[in-house]
Amino acid sequence: MDLLNRIDEVRAQLQNDIQQVGADPQAAENLRIKYLGKKGLISVLFADFNSIPAEQKPQIGRVLNILKKDAEARIQALSEKLKATSSQDEFFDYSLPGLTPAVGHLHPITQTLNRVIAIFREIGFVVEFGPEVETDYNNFQALNFADDHPARDMQDTFFIDEKRLLRTHTSPIQIRTMLKKKPPIRILAPGRVYRNEAINPRSHCVFHQVEGLYVDENVTFSELKTTLEVFAWRFFGADVKTRFRPGFFPFTEPSAEMDISCFICAGKGCRLCKYTGWLEILGCGMVDPNVFKNVGIDPEKYTGYAFGMGIDRTALLKYGIGDIRLYFDGDVRFLEQF
Ligand code: DAH
């Protein structure tokens, strides 16, 4: 076969080899050796070129040089391409942290509830639950609200029928617990409550309360005060002051409302505390003997205290939120902040 044909053949073979190359970065070097190395296919052609007749040399020499240059250029290009792809692989840093999927968290109301519960748990309270659809008896009657008692108007009620309603407070859980357990009783009852009230930045028709109840022999008002003071310090900070004002609830006698000194202005007076220096936190009192009679506990033998606290408002104060409706809009941009 004459030299020109062999040149064509080598060119075709090179073309073929380049197409077959995989991702192995060594491949370009192997091709260089195979074609351009000392004993490479093209070098062999050059060796044979020396022995052809002189008059053929200019023409065949040109073709052969073109093949060599072409081979060098293509193998060089291939080598760069393989290096580039393999260096991309080398740059992949497997120790980089992965993409963290968005993780949800507890609702700020639940977080607040959990903190309140944790504090009272440490003092020995256990958690009790009750249904949101309650009987009129548990929600009002047994708690010493007579049918025509004006205190019923304090709590605008969603009635379901004559005897059932959406509980207006968590106090019916006191009744349920005292009906099934004998003293000593020390419970904390969190839950959602409903009142037929206009929705505005400060109030909502759905909100949350925590009820506390302690019944035993010789339970005193000063124990109630101490317990709630300890709670206030734990929850709001050790420098808050507390004060108890006389209040009225049908199911406690005497009744009181507890305020804490405003933790924004430290009692000096600001917008949050409406320039009074105090924030109202909860209602409380000594369990009314009538309530004990309604659940079959002897009021001569036992005394007890109870307290009830709104969680939503407490969380508003704690987090400095201006609008209670934000809790229930489900806007993640708001909720993500807690
Ligand atoms: N149930 C009352 C309310 O919703 C709060 C309350 C006040 C609960 C005094 C109590 C208590 O247990 O002793 O306004």
Side-chain angles (χ1 to χ4, degrees), residues 155 168-169 171 174 195 209 211-212 249 251-252 283-285 306-308:
Q155 304 186 355
T168 57
H169 52 176
S171 304
Q174 289 187 23
R195 285 189 203 175
Q209 287 188 338
E211 189 80 13
F249 302 100
F251 39 90
T252 44
C284 60
F307 57 88

mmCIF file with all atom_site columns, all heavy atoms in Angstrom, residues 155 168-169 171 174 195 209 211-212 249 251-252 283-285 306-308, ligand 1:
data_model
loop_
_atom_site.group_PDB
_atom_site.id
_atom_site.type_symbol
_atom_site.label_atom_id
_atom_site.label_alt_id
_atom_site.label_comp_id
_atom_site.label_asym_id
_atom_site.label_entity_id
_atom_site.label_seq_id
_atom_site.pdbx_PDB_ins_code
_atom_site.Cartn_x
_atom_site.Cartn_y
_atom_site.Cartn_z
_atom_site.occupancy
_atom_site.B_iso_or_equiv
_atom_site.pdbx_formal_charge
_atom_site.auth_seq_id
_atom_site.auth_comp_id
_atom_site.auth_asym_id
_atom_site.auth_atom_id
_atom_site.pdbx_PDB_model_num
ATOM   1   N N   . GLN A 1 155 ? -69.150 36.572 80.126 1.00 0.00 ? 155 GLN A N   1
ATOM   2   C CA  . GLN A 1 155 ? -68.590 35.665 79.120 1.00 0.00 ? 155 GLN A CA  1
ATOM   3   C C   . GLN A 1 155 ? -69.641 35.387 78.042 1.00 0.00 ? 155 GLN A C   1
ATOM   4   O O   . GLN A 1 155 ? -70.501 34.538 78.215 1.00 0.00 ? 155 GLN A O   1
ATOM   5   C CB  . GLN A 1 155 ? -68.160 34.352 79.790 1.00 0.00 ? 155 GLN A CB  1
ATOM   6   C CG  . GLN A 1 155 ? -67.174 34.596 80.937 1.00 0.00 ? 155 GLN A CG  1
ATOM   7   C CD  . GLN A 1 155 ? -66.611 33.323 81.520 1.00 0.00 ? 155 GLN A CD  1
ATOM   8   O OE1 . GLN A 1 155 ? -67.009 32.222 81.141 1.00 0.00 ? 155 GLN A OE1 1
ATOM   9   N NE2 . GLN A 1 155 ? -65.683 33.460 82.446 1.00 0.00 ? 155 GLN A NE2 1
ATOM   10  N N   . THR A 1 168 ? -66.293 28.614 77.599 1.00 0.00 ? 168 THR A N   1
ATOM   11  C CA  . THR A 1 168 ? -65.875 30.023 77.581 1.00 0.00 ? 168 THR A CA  1
ATOM   12  C C   . THR A 1 168 ? -64.603 30.221 78.397 1.00 0.00 ? 168 THR A C   1
ATOM   13  O O   . THR A 1 168 ? -64.020 31.296 78.383 1.00 0.00 ? 168 THR A O   1
ATOM   14  C CB  . THR A 1 168 ? -66.975 30.919 78.174 1.00 0.00 ? 168 THR A CB  1
ATOM   15  O OG1 . THR A 1 168 ? -67.249 30.453 79.511 1.00 0.00 ? 168 THR A OG1 1
ATOM   16  C CG2 . THR A 1 168 ? -68.244 30.841 77.342 1.00 0.00 ? 168 THR A CG2 1
ATOM   17  N N   . HIS A 1 169 ? -64.234 29.200 79.146 1.00 0.00 ? 169 HIS A N   1
ATOM   18  C CA  . HIS A 1 169 ? -63.004 29.258 79.940 1.00 0.00 ? 169 HIS A CA  1
ATOM   19  C C   . HIS A 1 169 ? -62.555 27.823 80.249 1.00 0.00 ? 169 HIS A C   1
ATOM   20  O O   . HIS A 1 169 ? -63.272 26.858 79.935 1.00 0.00 ? 169 HIS A O   1
ATOM   21  C CB  . HIS A 1 169 ? -63.177 30.093 81.216 1.00 0.00 ? 169 HIS A CB  1
ATOM   22  C CG  . HIS A 1 169 ? -64.359 29.717 82.078 1.00 0.00 ? 169 HIS A CG  1
ATOM   23  N ND1 . HIS A 1 169 ? -64.611 30.307 83.291 1.00 0.00 ? 169 HIS A ND1 1
ATOM   24  C CD2 . HIS A 1 169 ? -65.350 28.803 81.906 1.00 0.00 ? 169 HIS A CD2 1
ATOM   25  C CE1 . HIS A 1 169 ? -65.704 29.795 83.818 1.00 0.00 ? 169 HIS A CE1 1
ATOM   26  N NE2 . HIS A 1 169 ? -66.163 28.878 83.019 1.00 0.00 ? 169 HIS A NE2 1
ATOM   27  N N   . SER A 1 171 ? -62.076 26.755 83.243 1.00 0.00 ? 171 SER A N   1
ATOM   28  C CA  . SER A 1 171 ? -62.505 26.395 84.597 1.00 0.00 ? 171 SER A CA  1
ATOM   29  C C   . SER A 1 171 ? -63.365 25.114 84.683 1.00 0.00 ? 171 SER A C   1
ATOM   30  O O   . SER A 1 171 ? -63.305 24.430 85.714 1.00 0.00 ? 171 SER A O   1
ATOM   31  C CB  . SER A 1 171 ? -63.225 27.576 85.249 1.00 0.00 ? 171 SER A CB  1
ATOM   32  O OG  . SER A 1 171 ? -62.395 28.714 85.247 1.00 0.00 ? 171 SER A OG  1
ATOM   33  N N   . GLN A 1 174 ? -61.751 22.134 86.141 1.00 0.00 ? 174 GLN A N   1
ATOM   34  C CA  . GLN A 1 174 ? -61.749 21.987 87.620 1.00 0.00 ? 174 GLN A CA  1
ATOM   35  C C   . GLN A 1 174 ? -62.855 21.029 88.044 1.00 0.00 ? 174 GLN A C   1
ATOM   36  O O   . GLN A 1 174 ? -62.636 20.120 88.851 1.00 0.00 ? 174 GLN A O   1
ATOM   37  C CB  . GLN A 1 174 ? -62.100 23.317 88.304 1.00 0.00 ? 174 GLN A CB  1
ATOM   38  C CG  . GLN A 1 174 ? -61.095 24.406 88.253 1.00 0.00 ? 174 GLN A CG  1
ATOM   39  C CD  . GLN A 1 174 ? -61.578 25.577 89.138 1.00 0.00 ? 174 GLN A CD  1
ATOM   40  O OE1 . GLN A 1 174 ? -62.380 25.388 90.055 1.00 0.00 ? 174 GLN A OE1 1
ATOM   41  N NE2 . GLN A 1 174 ? -61.080 26.764 88.859 1.00 0.00 ? 174 GLN A NE2 1
ATOM   42  N N   . ARG A 1 195 ? -65.323 32.730 72.911 1.00 0.00 ? 195 ARG A N   1
ATOM   43  C CA  . ARG A 1 195 ? -66.310 33.730 73.359 1.00 0.00 ? 195 ARG A CA  1
ATOM   44  C C   . ARG A 1 195 ? -66.820 34.509 72.168 1.00 0.00 ? 195 ARG A C   1
ATOM   45  O O   . ARG A 1 195 ? -66.049 34.820 71.252 1.00 0.00 ? 195 ARG A O   1
ATOM   46  C CB  . ARG A 1 195 ? -65.692 34.677 74.381 1.00 0.00 ? 195 ARG A CB  1
ATOM   47  C CG  . ARG A 1 195 ? -65.539 33.988 75.709 1.00 0.00 ? 195 ARG A CG  1
ATOM   48  C CD  . ARG A 1 195 ? -65.151 34.914 76.812 1.00 0.00 ? 195 ARG A CD  1
ATOM   49  N NE  . ARG A 1 195 ? -64.507 34.122 77.859 1.00 0.00 ? 195 ARG A NE  1
ATOM   50  C CZ  . ARG A 1 195 ? -63.948 34.613 78.941 1.00 0.00 ? 195 ARG A CZ  1
ATOM   51  N NH1 . ARG A 1 195 ? -63.972 35.912 79.145 1.00 0.00 ? 195 ARG A NH1 1
ATOM   52  N NH2 . ARG A 1 195 ? -63.391 33.816 79.833 1.00 0.00 ? 195 ARG A NH2 1
ATOM   53  N N   . GLN A 1 209 ? -56.377 29.485 77.420 1.00 0.00 ? 209 GLN A N   1
ATOM   54  C CA  . GLN A 1 209 ? -56.212 29.749 78.850 1.00 0.00 ? 209 GLN A CA  1
ATOM   55  C C   . GLN A 1 209 ? -55.476 28.582 79.502 1.00 0.00 ? 209 GLN A C   1
ATOM   56  O O   . GLN A 1 209 ? -55.445 27.474 78.970 1.00 0.00 ? 209 GLN A O   1
ATOM   57  C CB  . GLN A 1 209 ? -57.578 29.868 79.537 1.00 0.00 ? 209 GLN A CB  1
ATOM   58  C CG  . GLN A 1 209 ? -58.328 31.145 79.236 1.00 0.00 ? 209 GLN A CG  1
ATOM   59  C CD  . GLN A 1 209 ? -59.579 31.274 80.094 1.00 0.00 ? 209 GLN A CD  1
ATOM   60  O OE1 . GLN A 1 209 ? -60.104 30.283 80.593 1.00 0.00 ? 209 GLN A OE1 1
ATOM   61  N NE2 . GLN A 1 209 ? -60.043 32.492 80.258 1.00 0.00 ? 209 GLN A NE2 1
ATOM   62  N N   . GLU A 1 211 ? -55.651 26.889 83.349 1.00 0.00 ? 211 GLU A N   1
ATOM   63  C CA  . GLU A 1 211 ? -56.346 26.881 84.629 1.00 0.00 ? 211 GLU A CA  1
ATOM   64  C C   . GLU A 1 211 ? -55.472 26.156 85.629 1.00 0.00 ? 211 GLU A C   1
ATOM   65  O O   . GLU A 1 211 ? -54.840 25.155 85.299 1.00 0.00 ? 211 GLU A O   1
ATOM   66  C CB  . GLU A 1 211 ? -57.642 26.075 84.433 1.00 0.00 ? 211 GLU A CB  1
ATOM   67  C CG  . GLU A 1 211 ? -58.586 26.127 85.578 1.00 0.00 ? 211 GLU A CG  1
ATOM   68  C CD  . GLU A 1 211 ? -59.392 27.408 85.561 1.00 0.00 ? 211 GLU A CD  1
ATOM   69  O OE1 . GLU A 1 211 ? -59.378 28.119 84.540 1.00 0.00 ? 211 GLU A OE1 1
ATOM   70  O OE2 . GLU A 1 211 ? -60.038 27.687 86.583 1.00 0.00 ? 211 GLU A OE2 1
ATOM   71  N N   . GLY A 1 212 ? -55.438 26.660 86.859 1.00 0.00 ? 212 GLY A N   1
ATOM   72  C CA  . GLY A 1 212 ? -54.727 25.933 87.908 1.00 0.00 ? 212 GLY A CA  1
ATOM   73  C C   . GLY A 1 212 ? -55.677 25.659 89.054 1.00 0.00 ? 212 GLY A C   1
ATOM   74  O O   . GLY A 1 212 ? -56.569 26.474 89.339 1.00 0.00 ? 212 GLY A O   1
ATOM   75  N N   . PHE A 1 249 ? -65.067 36.556 90.925 1.00 0.00 ? 249 PHE A N   1
ATOM   76  C CA  . PHE A 1 249 ? -65.417 35.395 90.103 1.00 0.00 ? 249 PHE A CA  1
ATOM   77  C C   . PHE A 1 249 ? -66.382 34.562 90.925 1.00 0.00 ? 249 PHE A C   1
ATOM   78  O O   . PHE A 1 249 ? -66.172 34.409 92.143 1.00 0.00 ? 249 PHE A O   1
ATOM   79  C CB  . PHE A 1 249 ? -64.167 34.572 89.747 1.00 0.00 ? 249 PHE A CB  1
ATOM   80  C CG  . PHE A 1 249 ? -63.128 35.361 89.021 1.00 0.00 ? 249 PHE A CG  1
ATOM   81  C CD1 . PHE A 1 249 ? -62.020 35.872 89.698 1.00 0.00 ? 249 PHE A CD1 1
ATOM   82  C CD2 . PHE A 1 249 ? -63.246 35.628 87.661 1.00 0.00 ? 249 PHE A CD2 1
ATOM   83  C CE1 . PHE A 1 249 ? -61.059 36.627 89.044 1.00 0.00 ? 249 PHE A CE1 1
ATOM   84  C CE2 . PHE A 1 249 ? -62.286 36.387 86.991 1.00 0.00 ? 249 PHE A CE2 1
ATOM   85  C CZ  . PHE A 1 249 ? -61.190 36.889 87.685 1.00 0.00 ? 249 PHE A CZ  1
ATOM   86  N N   . PHE A 1 251 ? -66.833 31.506 91.210 1.00 0.00 ? 251 PHE A N   1
ATOM   87  C CA  . PHE A 1 251 ? -66.330 30.222 91.724 1.00 0.00 ? 251 PHE A CA  1
ATOM   88  C C   . PHE A 1 251 ? -65.198 30.370 92.728 1.00 0.00 ? 251 PHE A C   1
ATOM   89  O O   . PHE A 1 251 ? -64.638 29.371 93.180 1.00 0.00 ? 251 PHE A O   1
ATOM   90  C CB  . PHE A 1 251 ? -65.897 29.322 90.557 1.00 0.00 ? 251 PHE A CB  1
ATOM   91  C CG  . PHE A 1 251 ? -65.212 30.092 89.449 1.00 0.00 ? 251 PHE A CG  1
ATOM   92  C CD1 . PHE A 1 251 ? -63.845 30.272 89.448 1.00 0.00 ? 251 PHE A CD1 1
ATOM   93  C CD2 . PHE A 1 251 ? -65.962 30.648 88.419 1.00 0.00 ? 251 PHE A CD2 1
ATOM   94  C CE1 . PHE A 1 251 ? -63.220 30.994 88.432 1.00 0.00 ? 251 PHE A CE1 1
ATOM   95  C CE2 . PHE A 1 251 ? -65.343 31.378 87.402 1.00 0.00 ? 251 PHE A CE2 1
ATOM   96  C CZ  . PHE A 1 251 ? -63.983 31.554 87.404 1.00 0.00 ? 251 PHE A CZ  1
ATOM   97  N N   . THR A 1 252 ? -64.795 31.606 93.032 1.00 0.00 ? 252 THR A N   1
ATOM   98  C CA  . THR A 1 252 ? -63.771 31.788 94.069 1.00 0.00 ? 252 THR A CA  1
ATOM   99  C C   . THR A 1 252 ? -64.230 32.861 95.062 1.00 0.00 ? 252 THR A C   1
ATOM   100 O O   . THR A 1 252 ? -64.921 33.808 94.700 1.00 0.00 ? 252 THR A O   1
ATOM   101 C CB  . THR A 1 252 ? -62.417 32.224 93.460 1.00 0.00 ? 252 THR A CB  1
ATOM   102 O OG1 . THR A 1 252 ? -62.649 33.221 92.475 1.00 0.00 ? 252 THR A OG1 1
ATOM   103 C CG2 . THR A 1 252 ? -61.680 31.060 92.855 1.00 0.00 ? 252 THR A CG2 1
ATOM   104 N N   . GLY A 1 283 ? -56.559 35.872 86.828 1.00 0.00 ? 283 GLY A N   1
ATOM   105 C CA  . GLY A 1 283 ? -57.556 35.919 87.902 1.00 0.00 ? 283 GLY A CA  1
ATOM   106 C C   . GLY A 1 283 ? -57.325 34.718 88.809 1.00 0.00 ? 283 GLY A C   1
ATOM   107 O O   . GLY A 1 283 ? -56.835 33.675 88.383 1.00 0.00 ? 283 GLY A O   1
ATOM   108 N N   . CYS A 1 284 ? -57.672 34.873 90.083 1.00 0.00 ? 284 CYS A N   1
ATOM   109 C CA  . CYS A 1 284 ? -57.429 33.777 91.008 1.00 0.00 ? 284 CYS A CA  1
ATOM   110 C C   . CYS A 1 284 ? -58.302 33.932 92.250 1.00 0.00 ? 284 CYS A C   1
ATOM   111 O O   . CYS A 1 284 ? -59.019 34.921 92.396 1.00 0.00 ? 284 CYS A O   1
ATOM   112 C CB  . CYS A 1 284 ? -55.964 33.738 91.413 1.00 0.00 ? 284 CYS A CB  1
ATOM   113 S SG  . CYS A 1 284 ? -55.421 35.256 92.223 1.00 0.00 ? 284 CYS A SG  1
ATOM   114 N N   . GLY A 1 285 ? -58.227 32.968 93.133 1.00 0.00 ? 285 GLY A N   1
ATOM   115 C CA  . GLY A 1 285 ? -58.971 33.075 94.382 1.00 0.00 ? 285 GLY A CA  1
ATOM   116 C C   . GLY A 1 285 ? -59.028 31.743 95.101 1.00 0.00 ? 285 GLY A C   1
ATOM   117 O O   . GLY A 1 285 ? -58.466 30.739 94.646 1.00 0.00 ? 285 GLY A O   1
ATOM   118 N N   . ALA A 1 306 ? -57.552 28.505 93.114 1.00 0.00 ? 306 ALA A N   1
ATOM   119 C CA  . ALA A 1 306 ? -57.630 28.318 91.664 1.00 0.00 ? 306 ALA A CA  1
ATOM   120 C C   . ALA A 1 306 ? -57.128 29.586 90.999 1.00 0.00 ? 306 ALA A C   1
ATOM   121 O O   . ALA A 1 306 ? -57.128 30.660 91.600 1.00 0.00 ? 306 ALA A O   1
ATOM   122 C CB  . ALA A 1 306 ? -59.063 28.037 91.243 1.00 0.00 ? 306 ALA A CB  1
ATOM   123 N N   . PHE A 1 307 ? -56.658 29.416 89.787 1.00 0.00 ? 307 PHE A N   1
ATOM   124 C CA  . PHE A 1 307 ? -56.274 30.605 89.017 1.00 0.00 ? 307 PHE A CA  1
ATOM   125 C C   . PHE A 1 307 ? -56.478 30.327 87.535 1.00 0.00 ? 307 PHE A C   1
ATOM   126 O O   . PHE A 1 307 ? -56.528 29.166 87.110 1.00 0.00 ? 307 PHE A O   1
ATOM   127 C CB  . PHE A 1 307 ? -54.822 31.013 89.304 1.00 0.00 ? 307 PHE A CB  1
ATOM   128 C CG  . PHE A 1 307 ? -53.812 29.930 89.022 1.00 0.00 ? 307 PHE A CG  1
ATOM   129 C CD1 . PHE A 1 307 ? -53.252 29.776 87.769 1.00 0.00 ? 307 PHE A CD1 1
ATOM   130 C CD2 . PHE A 1 307 ? -53.413 29.058 90.041 1.00 0.00 ? 307 PHE A CD2 1
ATOM   131 C CE1 . PHE A 1 307 ? -52.318 28.773 87.534 1.00 0.00 ? 307 PHE A CE1 1
ATOM   132 C CE2 . PHE A 1 307 ? -52.481 28.061 89.801 1.00 0.00 ? 307 PHE A CE2 1
ATOM   133 C CZ  . PHE A 1 307 ? -51.931 27.915 88.548 1.00 0.00 ? 307 PHE A CZ  1
ATOM   134 N N   . GLY A 1 308 ? -56.664 31.394 86.788 1.00 0.00 ? 308 GLY A N   1
ATOM   135 C CA  . GLY A 1 308 ? -56.858 31.237 85.345 1.00 0.00 ? 308 GLY A CA  1
ATOM   136 C C   . GLY A 1 308 ? -56.162 32.366 84.613 1.00 0.00 ? 308 GLY A C   1
ATOM   137 O O   . GLY A 1 308 ? -56.238 33.524 85.008 1.00 0.00 ? 308 GLY A O   1
HETATM 138 N N1  . DAH B 2 .   ? -62.196 31.541 84.286 1.00 0.00 ? 1   DAH B N1  1
HETATM 139 C C1  . DAH B 2 .   ? -61.838 32.926 84.470 1.00 0.00 ? 1   DAH B C1  1
HETATM 140 C C2  . DAH B 2 .   ? -62.026 33.697 83.200 1.00 0.00 ? 1   DAH B C2  1
HETATM 141 O O1  . DAH B 2 .   ? -62.070 33.118 82.164 1.00 0.00 ? 1   DAH B O1  1
HETATM 142 C C3  . DAH B 2 .   ? -60.409 33.031 84.911 1.00 0.00 ? 1   DAH B C3  1
HETATM 143 C C4  . DAH B 2 .   ? -60.255 32.561 86.300 1.00 0.00 ? 1   DAH B C4  1
HETATM 144 C C5  . DAH B 2 .   ? -60.313 33.448 87.344 1.00 0.00 ? 1   DAH B C5  1
HETATM 145 C C6  . DAH B 2 .   ? -60.041 31.236 86.578 1.00 0.00 ? 1   DAH B C6  1
HETATM 146 C C7  . DAH B 2 .   ? -60.182 33.069 88.633 1.00 0.00 ? 1   DAH B C7  1
HETATM 147 C C8  . DAH B 2 .   ? -59.896 30.816 87.885 1.00 0.00 ? 1   DAH B C8  1
HETATM 148 C C9  . DAH B 2 .   ? -59.972 31.743 88.902 1.00 0.00 ? 1   DAH B C9  1
HETATM 149 O O2  . DAH B 2 .   ? -59.692 29.560 88.216 1.00 0.00 ? 1   DAH B O2  1
HETATM 150 O O3  . DAH B 2 .   ? -59.842 31.344 90.203 1.00 0.00 ? 1   DAH B O3  1
HETATM 151 O O4  . DAH B 2 .   ? -62.099 34.904 83.234 1.00 0.00 ? 1   DAH B O4  1
#
